[in-house]
Amino acid sequence: MSLTGTAFLYTLIVLSVVAVVLPLALWSRLRGPKPVRALGRLLMVLFAQGTAVALVFVLVNNENNLYDDWADLIGTGDHVQQAANLGVDGTGGIALKRLPRVRQHFTDASGPGMGGVRVTQLKGRVSGVDAEVYVWLPPQYHQPAYRHHKFPVVELLSGYPGSAKAWFGSLHAVNQLQGLMRDGEVAPFILVAPRMNLLAGVDTGCANITGTVNADSWLSVDVPKMVTDNFRAQAGPAGWAAAGYSAGGHCATKLAVAHPDRYRAAISMSGYDDPIGERGSLAAETPALRRANNPYLLLRDARTPPAVALYQSGQPGDGYEAATGLEQIAKAPTTVHVVYVPKSAGGHNMALWRPQVVPAFRWLTEEMGLLHGRAGGTIPRSRSSAGSRPAELASGTASPAAAARRP
């Protein structure tokens, strides 16, 4: 029975009701010696508590898309077939353009918010990762007027723990963006959500760690190659962006800063710079790994500032300081867009990030140089040459740092 399936949820609801009714009906009717009756009553109490805890967990898990299946929950999932030394660029010297095109088999994905989403099992030819990838195509994709059009892509990254379905299920990305894409208010992006939880019980930190995992190459090499092989998708970097929340936000920023030849922009909601921000991260295990996967240090020490745009939102103590730190060291052509989220907006959860999806994608549409056509299409536009700048909240309230600089 699936962990996230309707059948399992309804079974728990029925068992929870039974757990309440059972002691009411049998508490005083138990027969036998006193120890036997005491044991029977104790078992009924434990059964009631166990079913209640299980039901609450499943409801929370379904709402936040934390664990996809039993293997993720129990910690037995392993999606790494091999983790060779792929070198500094993460390709292992493989000429990606010479790799033959591989056609993937897609099926309809199931679950809340997954309407129109398709899924495939991808065996990464470079990374050695074997895991699922979800893809959603914008409304224009199948329209005759766009049959020769190549679409921009956003890679959606979940937090830890987190499911690749989270952007569609918990954050309602399709429900929020589909109409805006159709009306030309947001560019018609292809949305791609790859599995992030690749090893049992640990966060990969989106890092390449020889002998353990090549998560960076999975996300920045194998997944983009699969998308361009199977869909009318623009090639990187001009047509690609990454977006994530929490650990996924850290990953999105790191991928864009580390690979400006593969990504044009990144969205981070409540992300962090130092991998130690997620104590379960493999990228936080050694000082060398922490340095190599810290976007602040990568940006600060870059010989040539990368031509990437970064959207960074956060609350005080939860991403805001990391965002302003990037803003302070960024030099053109790098741009940093800081969104201050007040503490009153909520905690580190889906309810905080869900309202940020539309403003972030509006920003992304503008920053990637995509203008709105009358039919909801996009027209190339010259990229902004602006340097690092503050941003405003969707409500129009500027961040404290931005307000302090205004005349």
Side-chain angles (χ1 to χ4, degrees), residues 149 152 187-189 234 237-239 264-265 309 361-373 377-385 389:
H149 184 80
F189 293 103
Q234 294 182 19
R264 169 68 183 91
F361 271 76
R362 288 184 186 276
W363 169 87
L364 190 60
T365 296
E366 297 297 331
E367 198 60 44
M368 290 183 69
L370 303 171
L371 290 178
H372 323 306
T378 57
I379 303 172
R381 185 189 67 175
S382 59
R383 282 168 46 187
S384 170
S385 60
R389 54 183 168 78

Side-chain angles (χ1 to χ4, degrees), residues 252-266:
T253 302
K254 179 253 179 174
L255 290 177
V257 173
H259 304 297
D261 59 326
R262 302 171 193 173
Y263 298 92
R264 169 68 183 91

